[in-house]
Amino acid sequence: MWVVLAGVAGFVVWGFVAAEAMPRLSAEWGTLRAGPAAAALVGLAGGVAAARARSLLAAMIAVGLAGLVAALTFMMNGAPDLALTQFAVESLLVVLLTVVLFVLPLRAPSTRTGPERALDAALASGFAALLFVVLLDMGAAPQRTEVSEFFGARSYVEAFGRNVVNVILVDFRAFDTLGETAVIALSAIIAWSLLGPRLAREEHSGEPAGRAAFILGVTSPIFFWLLLALSVVVLLRGHNEIGGGFVGGLTAALAFAIVSLADGVERARARLRLHPLSLAGGGLLLALASGLPGLLLHGDFLRHIWFEADVLGLQLKQGTTLLFDLGVYTAVLGAVLAFLFGLRREAAR
Amino acid sequence: MSVLHAFVAAGLFGCGLYMVLSRHLVRVLLGLSLLTTAVNLVLFQAGHLQSVQPPLIPAGADRLQGSADPLPQALVLTAIVIGFALSVILASLALRAYRGHSTLRSDEIRSAERLGDPSADRTTDAR
């Protein structure tokens, strides 16, 4: 196995040399900023800690640390939408994985022998080294910004949006986002079919109906309505400021997650009043439907139509992009709630 | 600075890959989560990290000037959500595996092997 590994590594290096495509190193190195550099190194330490952890809880915490550092990296490099999404995803991942870890044994001794571990470490290091070389080369390549400049120049003039990332997702590349929304809705179906339906007979067994802890029990209704209102605000402002359908959906899911932590899954489902799969499917349907006006009027699916109205002296301008974003919001909310309710009910058996 | 970000992303990728090679299902799950985080960082670095200004067109202007690259950010945004969905699906699979087999080690789950060779001729007991 080691011979094969060494042979492959040698072949890769020979390939670089023979094709005369030696990786370039960028001439200027950029200024080293202490904050992002320290954060990045802490993230790497988190990754190494996760790989070496003997307990699953420690590994989960370390992976969450790496994710939070990724969120900080996004925030410190001019990507606030990404930072919000990553923070929300890390919070939800902690909530969902903790539910799973209630059921599974936390002690996880290594399943590989010493030599197997050494081989796996060499394999992983080889791939990581290759990726590092590729990234260095990518950083040294001349930056092609024609497409980004196209979007930056037309985002406000043609698509009436100031948040260029959101306009790309919802308007220029809306069809890609539609596909991704379909993936999210399908993952909700997968999670529900893996975890949900077989519990119909055991509807009332399992989780006690009492509240988890006093402070959480008292403050959870406040947080629920606050987070729900915040998620709607984030959705509505997404076109011109930081926000959008994805972050809004994740924030609304966090609202329900807090209620499920404090009062249990049944109360959270009662607050929802709809089946999570209805939400996920309805969101996908709404996103699809928002592209139909463009199809009927212009012959282009997902070409967004804008309405201007003068209501009581206020200039209102809204388009089908809001319907599309609302569809994405609902689909993400439905999917995350399908995960949450399914996992908690499965864990309570 | 970009060298440091490249090093960290590659390092996280290596750690995630090492965990995915484990035989314990939850380690595989956590390694996959680490892998998706690392790959999102890699995609983000395609924008060359030159500016810290968010890609928002300011109030008076009508085009972007000197901000971060919006296109890799749009790609990573959906990648984050889909990576999260993938991790949760794998967690539910691990939970079902534990319920069904009482073990989380992939080398102890052998129920598919007991069914025999799927390409063998089954005309004799097609029921």
Side-chain angles (χ1 to χ4, degrees), chain A residues 29 33 37 53 78 82 85-86 108 111-112 116-117 124 128 138 143 148 152 162 164 169 180 187 194 246 346, chain B residues 1 4 10 14 18 22-23 27 47-48 50 52 55-59 61 64 69 73 77-78 80 89 95-96 99:
Chain A
W29 290 59
R33 291 180 288 159
L82 295 187
T85 314
Q86 182 78 20
T111 55
R112 297 172 274 188
E116 282 178 340
R117 278 210 301 272
M138 185 175 79
Q143 192 176 1
S148 306
R162 292 189 179 280
V164 183
L169 281 175
E180 279 143 356
S187 72
L194 275 176
F246 286 103
E346 175 75 32
Chain B
M1 193 67 207
L4 184 66
Y18 177 76
S22 169
R23 295 199 184 97
R27 281 227 174 79
H48 290 260
Q50 278 165 350
V52 295
L56 297 167
I57 299 178
L64 273 184
D69 200 340
Q73 291 187 22
L77 193 72
T78 42
I80 291 176
I89 297 282
L95 199 54
R96 294 295 305 176
R99 292 281 190 209

Side-chain angles (χ1 to χ4, degrees), chain B residues 5-26:
Chain B
H5 282 302
F7 181 69
V8 167
L12 283 176
F13 184 85
C15 295
L17 195 57
Y18 177 76
M19 287 178 80
V20 165
L21 290 169
S22 169
R23 295 199 184 97
H24 194 278
L25 287 179
V26 181

Side-chain angles (χ1 to χ4, degrees), chain A residues 23-27 134-143, chain B residues 2 48:
Chain A
R24 302 157 279 187
L25 212 56
S26 151
V134 165
L135 280 175
L136 284 180
D137 187 63
M138 185 175 79
Q143 192 176 1
Chain B
S2 57
H48 290 260

Side-chain angles (χ1 to χ4, degrees), chain A residues 43 62-71 73-74 86 89-90 93, chain B residues 8-10 12-13 16 30-45 76 79-80 83-84 87:
Chain A
V63 168
L65 176 65
L68 281 178
V69 163
T73 307
F74 294 146
Q86 182 78 20
V89 158
E90 286 307 316
L93 205 58
Chain B
V8 167
L12 283 176
F13 184 85
L30 293 173
L32 196 73
S33 179
L34 208 53
L35 265 180
T36 52
T37 306
V39 168
N40 290 334
L41 281 173
V42 167
L43 277 177
F44 183 58
Q45 285 171 40
V76 176
I80 291 176
F84 163 66
S87 301

Side-chain angles (χ1 to χ4, degrees), chain A residues 76-101:
Chain A
M76 290 190 275
N77 285 296
D81 273 332
L82 295 187
L84 274 180
T85 314
Q86 182 78 20
F87 278 126
V89 158
E90 286 307 316
S91 317
L92 283 169
L93 205 58
V94 164
V95 171
L96 292 173
L97 287 185
T98 313
V99 170
V100 174
L101 287 184

Side-chain angles (χ1 to χ4, degrees), chain A residues 32-77:
Chain A
L32 190 72
R33 291 180 288 159
L41 288 174
V42 168
L44 186 58
V48 173
R52 292 177 51 87
R54 287 288 152 255
S55 150
L56 292 180
L57 195 60
M60 188 188 89
I61 292 173
V63 168
L65 176 65
L68 281 178
V69 163
L72 281 176
T73 307
F74 294 146
M75 196 166 72
M76 290 190 275
N77 285 296

